[in-house]
């Protein structure tokens, strides 16, 4: 990773890939739909805490960076599922997609949260939530989901559960830059940790999990102690003003879901990398910093 004055994740191969893109030598791959969830819980003082994972240093993409539970949409996420809360049509309007895609995105958000944290936003009715997901039978189902041996629809049906879409609220949307070899169109959601449930250290991609208040995480990023990608630190800063989980959830409908996509251009031989509307991430990169333009992998959060 190239050195930075804060904790902004910045791969050394980006300058070479950006030059190749601006020279017409790189064809951007189409981004895959993805979802990630900011699980929140009240702390009593100082505002709510958010659940974060630290990606293993061995990961090809964003190794050592802090992120949220999340991942790409599985094509099977469009299968019919037990559903409670806002309809697929309502979610389609909010997310700016068709109803089938809206369901897949919401299902991916709930599925990935369960796979990576053990938290399940589902219940046996529209008014209930699973109280405990810590038993060995839950662990077996979680492993089967991760291995793609079990679809989320079949998992819910077998347990007689309905997905609680009302427990999620859309917060932001970021698209991986065009110069990345693996790209994601990621929807960020907020959700309260259900009563009785607790997060588990179950993600195979993470070596640490923490509950941390957004202001503390942002301070760690500013000091350069916590490595994060722009969408992560941006969503953390956006949560700082809210004193409770309820306040954050109430503010979600007003959040702008216009996709944020990085732009890169050459100015006087210097690469200028920027994220529209997010000036703090702008970088001016001397062309002498160019490194190899090889693939680097990907992660949506």
């Amino acid at each position: 990773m190239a050195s930075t004055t804060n904790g902004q994740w910045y791969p050394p191969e980006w300058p070479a890939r950006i030059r190749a893109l601006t020279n017409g030598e790189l064809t951007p791959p189409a981004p895959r739909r993805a979802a990630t969830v900011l699980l929140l819980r009240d702390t009593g003082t100082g505002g709510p805490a958010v659940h974060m994972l630290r990606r293993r240093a061995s990961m090809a993409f964003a190794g050592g960076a802090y992120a949220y539970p999340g991942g790409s949409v599985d094509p099977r996420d469009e299968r019919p599922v037990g559903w409670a809360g806002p309809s697929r049509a309502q979610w389609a309007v909010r997310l700016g997609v068709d109803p089938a895609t809206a369901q897949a995105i919401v299902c991916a958000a709930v599925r990935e949260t369960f796979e990576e944290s053990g938290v399940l936003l589902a219940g046996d009715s529209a008014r209930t939530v699973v109280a405990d997901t810590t038993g060995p039978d839950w662990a077996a189902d979680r492993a089967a989901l991760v291995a793609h041996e079990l679809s989320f629809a079949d998992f819910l049906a077998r347990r007689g559960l309905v997905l609680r879409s009302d427990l999620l609220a859309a917060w932001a949307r970021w698209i991986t830059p065009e110069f990345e070899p693996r790209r994601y169109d990621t929807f960020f959601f907020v959700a309260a940790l259900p009563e009785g449930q607790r997060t588990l250290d179950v993600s195979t991609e993470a070596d640490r999990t923490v509950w941390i208040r957004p202001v503390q995480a942002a301070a760690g990023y500013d000091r350069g102690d916590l490595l994060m990608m722009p969408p992560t630190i941006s969503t953390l800063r956006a949560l700082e003003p809210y004193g409770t989980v309820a306040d954050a959830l109430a503010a979600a409908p007003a959040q702008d879901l216009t996709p944020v996509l990085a732009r890169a251009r050459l100015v006087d031989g210097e690469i200028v990398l920027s994220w529209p509307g997010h000036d703090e991430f702008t970088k001016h990169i001397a062309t002498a910093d160019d490194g190899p333009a090889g693939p680097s992998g990907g992660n949506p959060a």
Side-chain angles (χ1 to χ4, degrees), residues 77-78 83 87-93 95-106:
D77 288 329
E78 290 191 14
W83 189 276
S87 68
R88 295 159 180 81
Q90 289 173 302
W91 273 109
V93 171
L95 301 181
V97 298
D98 62 84
T101 302
Q103 175 190 298
I105 292 168
V106 172

Side-chain angles (χ1 to χ4, degrees), residues 64-183:
Y66 282 80
Y68 313 115
S72 59
V73 170
D74 184 325
R76 299 177 301 175
D77 288 329
E78 290 191 14
R79 292 184 181 178
V81 296
W83 189 276
S87 68
R88 295 159 180 81
Q90 289 173 302
W91 273 109
V93 171
R94 176 62 176 135
L95 301 181
V97 298
D98 62 84
T101 302
Q103 175 190 298
I105 292 168
V106 172
C107 278
V110 177
R111 175 180 52 75
E112 288 284 345
T113 300
F114 178 60
E115 289 179 8
E116 297 199 349
S117 74
V119 171
L120 182 59
L121 303 177
D124 57 15
S125 74
R127 295 174 298 279
T128 61
V129 184
V130 172
D132 183 12
T133 63
T134 59
D137 56 331
W138 290 103
D141 280 347
R142 195 165 53 244
L145 286 166
V146 172
H148 299 282
E149 298 168 352
L150 177 67
S151 73
F152 194 58
D154 289 343
F155 161 71
L156 292 178
R158 192 174 68 192
R159 288 185 171 271
L161 300 174
V162 296
L163 182 152
R164 290 285 306 274
S165 79
D166 55 316
L167 299 182
L168 285 170
W171 190 265
R173 181 181 180 184
W174 288 66
I175 300 178
T176 309
E178 292 181 330
F179 44 83
E180 266 296 315
R182 295 184 186 177
R183 302 183 61 219

